[in-house]
Amino acid sequence: MTNPLPASVDETLELLQRGDYVAERSLATALYLALKLNRPLFLEGEAGTGKTEIAKVLSATLGRRLVRLQCYEGLDVASAVYEWNYARQMIEIRLAEATGEKSRESLGGDIFSPEFLIKRPLLQALETGADGPPVLLIDELDRTDEPFEAYLLEVLSDFQITIPEIGTIKAEQPPTVIITSNRTREIHDALKRRCFYHWVDYPDAAREQDILRVKAPNVPEHLSRQVVGFVQRLRGMDLFKLPGVAETLDWAQALTQLDRLELDPDTINDTLGTLLKYQDDIAKIQGSEANRILTQVKAELSAAHPA
Amino acid sequence: MVQDTSDSQPDIQIDGGRLSANIMHFARCLRAAGLPIGPGKVLQALEAVEAVGIGNRRDFYWTLHAVFVNRRDQRELFDQAFHVFWRNPDILKRMMALLLPTLKADLKQEGPEMSRRLAEALQTNKPKPGEGDGGEQDQEIEIDASLTWSDRELIQTMDFEKMSAAEIAMAKSVIKRMTLPIMTVPTRRFQLSHLGRRADLRATLRQTLRSGGDVIDLATKRRRERHPPLVVLCDISGSMSRYSRMLLHFLHAVTNDRDRVHTFLFGTRLTNVTRYLRYRDIDVSLEKVSGAVQDWSGGTRIGRSLHEFNRVWSRRVLGQGAVVILITDGLDRDAAEGLGEEIERLHKSCRRLIWLNPLLRYEGFEPKSSGIRAIMPHVDDFRPVHNLASLADLAKVLDHVGPRRHGGMARWLAEVASA
């Protein structure tokens, strides 16, 4: 089942909402542009702010296939684009030898035909299926090395891939491309130039509250307010790794699993590991500091929502 | 440069061309402010605006934002420019017109300088091509060559601090030609090689087909090698001022010698000057650097600067096993407050931490200052940097492929043994 592309920024917002993704209007604008003008969307931001999620939501709400390319150092063409099925090719040669039917030329032509081709994510993404062009997620691009980044330039600007033995394969309908980066290194300007750019920031309190409401409906309202208040304060502090939205969700879920209806210092100390991922940070917050933040949050909440 | 290009309006016209012209002016204004915006971007912006429509101001803002902003640190500039420009585009046009004379004045200033450099270059070239007569000329060149050689020998060991202007010029030219050997580490990628130990099936099959499938000659591959990123943190405070100038020349040479070099300068604050050092011309490069750095020859806050590096940059530039060179004399204004923790963090997140200290040249140097004592336990290498010879020595260190955190590990073992 394929859904039509959104026709305006508002419709894009609705689309994301249908996929349980609470987005800011700025993100929806960038996404709408990427969909409308068939250009990749380059998302940068801290870990855990929901960059990868956008591609998943798009694929679900548009009813399109999600092709995911997880990048890592040493990713090469053979595992990202295509590879020849050597074993089958060898067998084919042996068979031809045994039967002695084929001439060398036709054999050469045969074993480099598409049936011996193993398609990897990038090549798969150029194929338009029954459900329309797929959503291609190139995740954590900053983890690959520069040569691969350069290879992507052809794919992303023309949506085509050149295989020497077969020729150039071009997508009938360009896929929707989402690229994410955690900024462990700088991505080259040449690549960024071909994309629409958006910095995915930590949400503000109201939006984070909305996200919790949508993503973790079983968490009581009162608790989720406290959780959001606490996390928002942590983000203002000088920590090595600030907690992302994913961590907020984890924490809220963990607290619910522990049957807590309200934050208290002991619970915070016991569950801080779901929120902070560096020992230095945990040591800094644990104990009196957590207590201090909690008192502030509670005071703030009782002022905003008098019981 | 700012010039009138009203005759080259793009084809796409929205709102009778008025809006498209404004977008073009806006793009040029951003370009003048330093954002990397080419003509392609302007067309892209027009397309984008046409797609979204200009129903409300907020959408319009984010539409242009998605096109023109490329990096996080450009957001601030874009935001300001947008609010100034789209309130009243005419203001900016008038401002640009006002700016024009000063720009021209700048150009004029630059003019004679360029021509002087050109003249110098011509003068030095003049005697070299032989002007007909043989023997005498040759002899002169010979003497000349020996002279430069001995000069260079002298300069090798001369302290940067005591050099005369002419000697500095000589040292600069030596630095410019100096290259560091590139330490390499194996990567996860492979390349075809006769010396390789793994069979490359793909290449084997190709070669086999070439010979018609009769002979199967095994092709081999080996790991491709690459040098790890080099990150330089250089102190430019008052106590280092005499050295830092020479070091900048050195950094420029290194940056242009290889890729994946990141350079930061710090005094009381941290500045990333990598992009400026990429300009091929050293003069242009240094001019850009001095424009970007706001704390030349001031105090030093090593701890705070390193803290900023660890927070903002470390995960972006220290990936893939970077080698860090820290150039500082370790004299800290903040009495080494928080320096220990930061240097430890830095040491833990890189392959090797090399500390270059100009004070080390003095015979009786003792690590007495609190800053130096805080840094000492966390470096893998500690060496002087005050003359060309010591810079060349640095090459030896960089050439050595040490295991990650070599020094740290050795120290840890020593601690365990002594406990």
Side-chain angles (χ1 to χ4, degrees), chain A residues 79-97:
Chain A
S79 47
V81 193
Y82 71 94
E83 197 172 12
W84 289 108
N85 192 341
Y86 306 115
R88 270 196 71 187
Q89 284 173 326
M90 286 292 192
I91 293 169
E92 189 75 10
I93 294 171
R94 285 279 165 236
L95 279 176
E97 271 177 8

PDB file of all heavy atoms in Angstrom, chain A residues 79-97:
ATOM      1  N   SER A  79      30.364  -4.375  -0.222  1.00  0.00           N
ATOM      2  CA  SER A  79      29.312  -4.604   0.760  1.00  0.00           C
ATOM      3  C   SER A  79      28.261  -3.498   0.780  1.00  0.00           C
ATOM      4  O   SER A  79      27.258  -3.611   1.469  1.00  0.00           O
ATOM      5  CB  SER A  79      29.915  -4.773   2.162  1.00  0.00           C
ATOM      6  OG  SER A  79      30.843  -3.767   2.407  1.00  0.00           O
ATOM      7  N   ALA A  80      28.482  -2.435   0.024  1.00  0.00           N
ATOM      8  CA  ALA A  80      27.503  -1.352   0.018  1.00  0.00           C
ATOM      9  C   ALA A  80      26.708  -1.300  -1.288  1.00  0.00           C
ATOM     10  O   ALA A  80      25.549  -0.901  -1.296  1.00  0.00           O
ATOM     11  CB  ALA A  80      28.191  -0.017   0.232  1.00  0.00           C
ATOM     12  N   VAL A  81      27.329  -1.685  -2.398  1.00  0.00           N
ATOM     13  CA  VAL A  81      26.668  -1.502  -3.683  1.00  0.00           C
ATOM     14  C   VAL A  81      26.339  -2.832  -4.348  1.00  0.00           C
ATOM     15  O   VAL A  81      25.170  -3.186  -4.511  1.00  0.00           O
ATOM     16  CB  VAL A  81      27.538  -0.646  -4.620  1.00  0.00           C
ATOM     17  CG1 VAL A  81      26.723  -0.206  -5.820  1.00  0.00           C
ATOM     18  CG2 VAL A  81      28.080   0.564  -3.895  1.00  0.00           C
ATOM     19  N   TYR A  82      27.359  -3.562  -4.753  1.00  0.00           N
ATOM     20  CA  TYR A  82      27.106  -4.845  -5.414  1.00  0.00           C
ATOM     21  C   TYR A  82      28.344  -5.714  -5.328  1.00  0.00           C
ATOM     22  O   TYR A  82      29.429  -5.252  -5.006  1.00  0.00           O
ATOM     23  CB  TYR A  82      26.746  -4.642  -6.888  1.00  0.00           C
ATOM     24  CG  TYR A  82      27.917  -4.193  -7.729  1.00  0.00           C
ATOM     25  CD1 TYR A  82      28.694  -5.127  -8.426  1.00  0.00           C
ATOM     26  CD2 TYR A  82      28.261  -2.856  -7.816  1.00  0.00           C
ATOM     27  CE1 TYR A  82      29.781  -4.717  -9.183  1.00  0.00           C
ATOM     28  CE2 TYR A  82      29.335  -2.443  -8.569  1.00  0.00           C
ATOM     29  CZ  TYR A  82      30.093  -3.387  -9.252  1.00  0.00           C
ATOM     30  OH  TYR A  82      31.157  -2.990  -9.980  1.00  0.00           O
ATOM     31  N   GLU A  83      28.164  -6.973  -5.610  1.00  0.00           N
ATOM     32  CA  GLU A  83      29.272  -7.900  -5.627  1.00  0.00           C
ATOM     33  C   GLU A  83      28.916  -8.977  -6.631  1.00  0.00           C
ATOM     34  O   GLU A  83      27.750  -9.305  -6.799  1.00  0.00           O
ATOM     35  CB  GLU A  83      29.447  -8.500  -4.239  1.00  0.00           C
ATOM     36  CG  GLU A  83      30.785  -9.143  -4.040  1.00  0.00           C
ATOM     37  CD  GLU A  83      30.977  -9.547  -2.583  1.00  0.00           C
ATOM     38  OE1 GLU A  83      30.002  -9.519  -1.816  1.00  0.00           O
ATOM     39  OE2 GLU A  83      32.086  -9.887  -2.241  1.00  0.00           O
ATOM     40  N   TRP A  84      29.909  -9.517  -7.290  1.00  0.00           N
ATOM     41  CA  TRP A  84      29.620 -10.644  -8.176  1.00  0.00           C
ATOM     42  C   TRP A  84      29.621 -11.908  -7.349  1.00  0.00           C
ATOM     43  O   TRP A  84      30.413 -12.078  -6.435  1.00  0.00           O
ATOM     44  CB  TRP A  84      30.670 -10.724  -9.292  1.00  0.00           C
ATOM     45  CG  TRP A  84      30.532  -9.615 -10.277  1.00  0.00           C
ATOM     46  CD1 TRP A  84      31.356  -8.556 -10.414  1.00  0.00           C
ATOM     47  CD2 TRP A  84      29.506  -9.452 -11.247  1.00  0.00           C
ATOM     48  NE1 TRP A  84      30.917  -7.720 -11.402  1.00  0.00           N
ATOM     49  CE2 TRP A  84      29.773  -8.246 -11.934  1.00  0.00           C
ATOM     50  CE3 TRP A  84      28.373 -10.187 -11.598  1.00  0.00           C
ATOM     51  CZ2 TRP A  84      28.962  -7.768 -12.955  1.00  0.00           C
ATOM     52  CZ3 TRP A  84      27.569  -9.703 -12.618  1.00  0.00           C
ATOM     53  CH2 TRP A  84      27.861  -8.512 -13.276  1.00  0.00           C
ATOM     54  N   ASN A  85      28.735 -12.805  -7.698  1.00  0.00           N
ATOM     55  CA  ASN A  85      28.651 -14.077  -6.995  1.00  0.00           C
ATOM     56  C   ASN A  85      29.729 -15.000  -7.564  1.00  0.00           C
ATOM     57  O   ASN A  85      29.491 -15.778  -8.480  1.00  0.00           O
ATOM     58  CB  ASN A  85      27.246 -14.656  -7.189  1.00  0.00           C
ATOM     59  CG  ASN A  85      26.988 -15.811  -6.267  1.00  0.00           C
ATOM     60  OD1 ASN A  85      27.931 -16.406  -5.751  1.00  0.00           O
ATOM     61  ND2 ASN A  85      25.726 -16.134  -6.057  1.00  0.00           N
ATOM     62  N   TYR A  86      30.928 -14.908  -6.970  1.00  0.00           N
ATOM     63  CA  TYR A  86      32.084 -15.619  -7.546  1.00  0.00           C
ATOM     64  C   TYR A  86      31.856 -17.124  -7.605  1.00  0.00           C
ATOM     65  O   TYR A  86      32.187 -17.772  -8.582  1.00  0.00           O
ATOM     66  CB  TYR A  86      33.336 -15.346  -6.719  1.00  0.00           C
ATOM     67  CG  TYR A  86      33.603 -13.894  -6.555  1.00  0.00           C
ATOM     68  CD1 TYR A  86      33.548 -13.295  -5.313  1.00  0.00           C
ATOM     69  CD2 TYR A  86      33.886 -13.107  -7.680  1.00  0.00           C
ATOM     70  CE1 TYR A  86      33.767 -11.948  -5.168  1.00  0.00           C
ATOM     71  CE2 TYR A  86      34.107 -11.760  -7.537  1.00  0.00           C
ATOM     72  CZ  TYR A  86      34.043 -11.181  -6.280  1.00  0.00           C
ATOM     73  OH  TYR A  86      34.260  -9.855  -6.147  1.00  0.00           O
ATOM     74  N   ALA A  87      31.323 -17.647  -6.519  1.00  0.00           N
ATOM     75  CA  ALA A  87      31.146 -19.096  -6.463  1.00  0.00           C
ATOM     76  C   ALA A  87      30.275 -19.571  -7.621  1.00  0.00           C
ATOM     77  O   ALA A  87      30.624 -20.520  -8.338  1.00  0.00           O
ATOM     78  CB  ALA A  87      30.517 -19.469  -5.126  1.00  0.00           C
ATOM     79  N   ARG A  88      29.165 -18.872  -7.843  1.00  0.00           N
ATOM     80  CA  ARG A  88      28.274 -19.283  -8.953  1.00  0.00           C
ATOM     81  C   ARG A  88      28.957 -19.125 -10.300  1.00  0.00           C
ATOM     82  O   ARG A  88      28.772 -19.915 -11.201  1.00  0.00           O
ATOM     83  CB  ARG A  88      26.992 -18.443  -8.916  1.00  0.00           C
ATOM     84  CG  ARG A  88      25.909 -19.079  -8.076  1.00  0.00           C
ATOM     85  CD  ARG A  88      24.583 -18.448  -8.362  1.00  0.00           C
ATOM     86  NE  ARG A  88      24.062 -18.799  -9.694  1.00  0.00           N
ATOM     87  CZ  ARG A  88      22.961 -18.254 -10.213  1.00  0.00           C
ATOM     88  NH1 ARG A  88      22.298 -17.350  -9.542  1.00  0.00           N
ATOM     89  NH2 ARG A  88      22.537 -18.622 -11.407  1.00  0.00           N
ATOM     90  N   GLN A  89      29.761 -18.049 -10.398  1.00  0.00           N
ATOM     91  CA  GLN A  89      30.465 -17.824 -11.658  1.00  0.00           C
ATOM     92  C   GLN A  89      31.448 -18.960 -11.930  1.00  0.00           C
ATOM     93  O   GLN A  89      31.546 -19.469 -13.049  1.00  0.00           O
ATOM     94  CB  GLN A  89      31.201 -16.487 -11.617  1.00  0.00           C
ATOM     95  CG  GLN A  89      30.277 -15.299 -11.787  1.00  0.00           C
ATOM     96  CD  GLN A  89      31.005 -13.977 -11.583  1.00  0.00           C
ATOM     97  OE1 GLN A  89      31.918 -13.883 -10.778  1.00  0.00           O
ATOM     98  NE2 GLN A  89      30.588 -12.960 -12.307  1.00  0.00           N
ATOM     99  N   MET A  90      32.166 -19.378 -10.887  1.00  0.00           N
ATOM    100  CA  MET A  90      33.121 -20.471 -11.026  1.00  0.00           C
ATOM    101  C   MET A  90      32.414 -21.750 -11.479  1.00  0.00           C
ATOM    102  O   MET A  90      32.866 -22.459 -12.384  1.00  0.00           O
ATOM    103  CB  MET A  90      33.819 -20.721  -9.679  1.00  0.00           C
ATOM    104  CG  MET A  90      34.836 -19.674  -9.304  1.00  0.00           C
ATOM    105  SD  MET A  90      36.263 -19.716 -10.383  1.00  0.00           S
ATOM    106  CE  MET A  90      37.386 -18.660  -9.486  1.00  0.00           C
ATOM    107  N   ILE A  91      31.281 -22.019 -10.811  1.00  0.00           N
ATOM    108  CA  ILE A  91      30.523 -23.226 -11.162  1.00  0.00           C
ATOM    109  C   ILE A  91      30.075 -23.164 -12.612  1.00  0.00           C
ATOM    110  O   ILE A  91      30.177 -24.135 -13.372  1.00  0.00           O
ATOM    111  CB  ILE A  91      29.305 -23.386 -10.230  1.00  0.00           C
ATOM    112  CG1 ILE A  91      29.797 -23.685  -8.813  1.00  0.00           C
ATOM    113  CG2 ILE A  91      28.376 -24.478 -10.717  1.00  0.00           C
ATOM    114  CD1 ILE A  91      28.722 -23.600  -7.758  1.00  0.00           C
ATOM    115  N   GLU A  92      29.637 -21.975 -13.010  1.00  0.00           N
ATOM    116  CA  GLU A  92      29.172 -21.786 -14.386  1.00  0.00           C
ATOM    117  C   GLU A  92      30.304 -22.093 -15.376  1.00  0.00           C
ATOM    118  O   GLU A  92      30.104 -22.747 -16.400  1.00  0.00           O
ATOM    119  CB  GLU A  92      28.670 -20.350 -14.560  1.00  0.00           C
ATOM    120  CG  GLU A  92      27.964 -20.069 -15.880  1.00  0.00           C
ATOM    121  CD  GLU A  92      26.551 -20.642 -15.929  1.00  0.00           C
ATOM    122  OE1 GLU A  92      26.067 -21.088 -14.872  1.00  0.00           O
ATOM    123  OE2 GLU A  92      25.973 -20.681 -17.036  1.00  0.00           O
ATOM    124  N   ILE A  93      31.508 -21.625 -15.044  1.00  0.00           N
ATOM    125  CA  ILE A  93      32.656 -21.866 -15.923  1.00  0.00           C
ATOM    126  C   ILE A  93      32.944 -23.367 -16.005  1.00  0.00           C
ATOM    127  O   ILE A  93      33.130 -23.923 -17.080  1.00  0.00           O
ATOM    128  CB  ILE A  93      33.902 -21.117 -15.389  1.00  0.00           C
ATOM    129  CG1 ILE A  93      33.673 -19.613 -15.476  1.00  0.00           C
ATOM    130  CG2 ILE A  93      35.133 -21.491 -16.191  1.00  0.00           C
ATOM    131  CD1 ILE A  93      34.753 -18.802 -14.788  1.00  0.00           C
ATOM    132  N   ARG A  94      32.917 -24.010 -14.842  1.00  0.00           N
ATOM    133  CA  ARG A  94      33.198 -25.452 -14.802  1.00  0.00           C
ATOM    134  C   ARG A  94      32.166 -26.225 -15.627  1.00  0.00           C
ATOM    135  O   ARG A  94      32.507 -27.129 -16.393  1.00  0.00           O
ATOM    136  CB  ARG A  94      33.161 -25.950 -13.352  1.00  0.00           C
ATOM    137  CG  ARG A  94      34.370 -25.553 -12.561  1.00  0.00           C
ATOM    138  CD  ARG A  94      35.540 -26.478 -12.844  1.00  0.00           C
ATOM    139  NE  ARG A  94      36.785 -25.898 -12.367  1.00  0.00           N
ATOM    140  CZ  ARG A  94      37.855 -25.697 -13.134  1.00  0.00           C
ATOM    141  NH1 ARG A  94      37.828 -26.018 -14.417  1.00  0.00           N
ATOM    142  NH2 ARG A  94      38.953 -25.181 -12.628  1.00  0.00           N
ATOM    143  N   LEU A  95      30.898 -25.832 -15.440  1.00  0.00           N
ATOM    144  CA  LEU A  95      29.821 -26.511 -16.182  1.00  0.00           C
ATOM    145  C   LEU A  95      30.015 -26.352 -17.677  1.00  0.00           C
ATOM    146  O   LEU A  95      29.892 -27.293 -18.434  1.00  0.00           O
ATOM    147  CB  LEU A  95      28.458 -25.945 -15.770  1.00  0.00           C
ATOM    148  CG  LEU A  95      27.882 -26.509 -14.459  1.00  0.00           C
ATOM    149  CD1 LEU A  95      26.586 -25.803 -14.114  1.00  0.00           C
ATOM    150  CD2 LEU A  95      27.651 -28.013 -14.587  1.00  0.00           C
ATOM    151  N   ALA A  96      30.359 -25.122 -18.059  1.00  0.00           N
ATOM    152  CA  ALA A  96      30.544 -24.847 -19.478  1.00  0.00           C
ATOM    153  C   ALA A  96      31.695 -25.690 -20.022  1.00  0.00           C
ATOM    154  O   ALA A  96      31.639 -26.221 -21.131  1.00  0.00           O
ATOM    155  CB  ALA A  96      30.810 -23.367 -19.696  1.00  0.00           C
ATOM    156  N   GLU A  97      32.744 -25.817 -19.193  1.00  0.00           N
ATOM    157  CA  GLU A  97      33.887 -26.630 -19.602  1.00  0.00           C
ATOM    158  C   GLU A  97      33.483 -28.085 -19.779  1.00  0.00           C
ATOM    159  O   GLU A  97      33.860 -28.746 -20.736  1.00  0.00           O
ATOM    160  CB  GLU A  97      34.978 -26.552 -18.528  1.00  0.00           C
ATOM    161  CG  GLU A  97      35.943 -25.404 -18.738  1.00  0.00           C
ATOM    162  CD  GLU A  97      36.950 -25.325 -17.606  1.00  0.00           C
ATOM    163  OE1 GLU A  97      36.973 -26.242 -16.754  1.00  0.00           O
ATOM    164  OE2 GLU A  97      37.699 -24.343 -17.588  1.00  0.00           O
TER     165      GLU A  97
END
